[in-house]
Amino acid sequence: MQEHTKSLTKHIGEKFQLKNVIDITGKIVELDFKKSEITIIDFWFTECRACIEEMNQFAEILPGKKNKISVISISINQFPLWKATLTNHSDRFSFLNNNVENWKQYTLLSTDNQKLKNEFSLDRQSELAQFYDVTFYPAYFVLDKNGIIQSRPISAVDFINHYN
């Protein structure tokens, strides 16, 4: 656990940079951190129980806070699996039916061979581990309007509930 704690403080004060983030149409999007006082980047995947438990609460705690907090959830799952999860909500992912203005869903464009049918974007997962020490999920980054990393909380829900 001490190693996790150390990785949570390592990049504070640095500019968060992530390229080749895509939306549900497969189009590359530019991450916008200026819509709210802070933006929480949330890295997750479909088989992460803790990720799902946290995300399941976002639709309840984010409305009415769009000027203060935005959440950008970025899946590390391969695009086809992520897209199917967003478009065909099972009971487990029914919380994704909520249209919350300050909560966006994206995934990472991968160069992995689609024929291998890897569940995760292994190239992007190793990139996150290498550049941002993301070694466990969910992984959160709290950014200011300039994209500067302010914090790496263990729980986004706790952070949101305690943010003034």
Side-chain angles (χ1 to χ4, degrees):
M1 187 63 165
Q2 186 177 8
E3 188 174 315
H4 290 320
T5 306
K6 184 178 176 184
S7 73
L8 293 176
T9 59
K10 190 171 181 183
H11 298 284
I12 305 299
E14 294 178 10
K15 184 155 180 74
F16 183 85
Q17 297 179 20
L18 187 65
K19 294 183 180 184
N20 297 320
V21 176
I22 56 177
D23 66 13
I24 198 162
T25 67
K27 179 182 171 193
I28 292 179
V29 296
E30 185 82 25
L31 298 179
D32 182 1
F33 310 127
K34 297 194 182 308
K35 292 182 179 182
S36 302
E37 288 175 15
I38 62 159
T39 300
I40 299 173
I41 302 294
D42 161 32
F43 289 107
W44 71 287
F45 60 95
T46 56
E47 296 304 316
C48 172
R49 182 173 296 191
C51 301
I52 305 309
E53 286 175 12
E54 287 262 321
M55 290 172 64
N56 196 25
Q57 299 174 66
F58 289 169
E60 190 176 308
I61 64 175
L62 284 173
K65 296 180 180 176
K66 74 175 186 171
N67 293 329
K68 288 188 171 238
I69 300 174
S70 293
V71 173
I72 299 174
S73 292
I74 302 175
S75 173
I76 63 163
N77 287 109
Q78 285 283 10
F79 178 77
L81 176 62
W82 170 76
K83 184 175 181 177
T85 301
L86 285 185
T87 55
N88 304 317
H89 306 285
S90 68
D91 289 340
R92 191 167 137 219
F93 296 103
S94 62
F95 61 87
L96 294 171
N97 288 326
N98 296 301
N99 188 17
V100 179
E101 185 178 5
N102 51 333
W103 182 24
K104 303 294 180 207
Q105 297 282 340
Y106 301 121
T107 194
L108 301 170
L109 181 64
S110 174
T111 58
D112 285 350
N113 186 339
Q114 291 288 332
K115 292 179 183 176
L116 297 176
K117 299 191 187 279
N118 291 333
E119 186 174 328
F120 304 112
S121 298
L122 299 177
D123 58 333
R124 301 307 301 276
Q125 187 177 8
S126 64
E127 177 187 336
L128 291 175
Q130 180 182 357
F131 292 110
Y132 288 113
D133 297 296
V134 174
T135 58
F136 60 93
Y137 294 87
Y140 302 111
F141 290 81
V142 176
L143 314 175
D144 67 12
K145 288 185 174 223
N146 297 312
I148 305 299
I149 301 169
Q150 302 296 309
S151 174
R152 292 243 3 239
I154 296 288
S155 168
V157 170
D158 288 347
F159 184 90
I160 293 166
N161 284 333
H162 293 99
Y163 187 76
N164 293 331

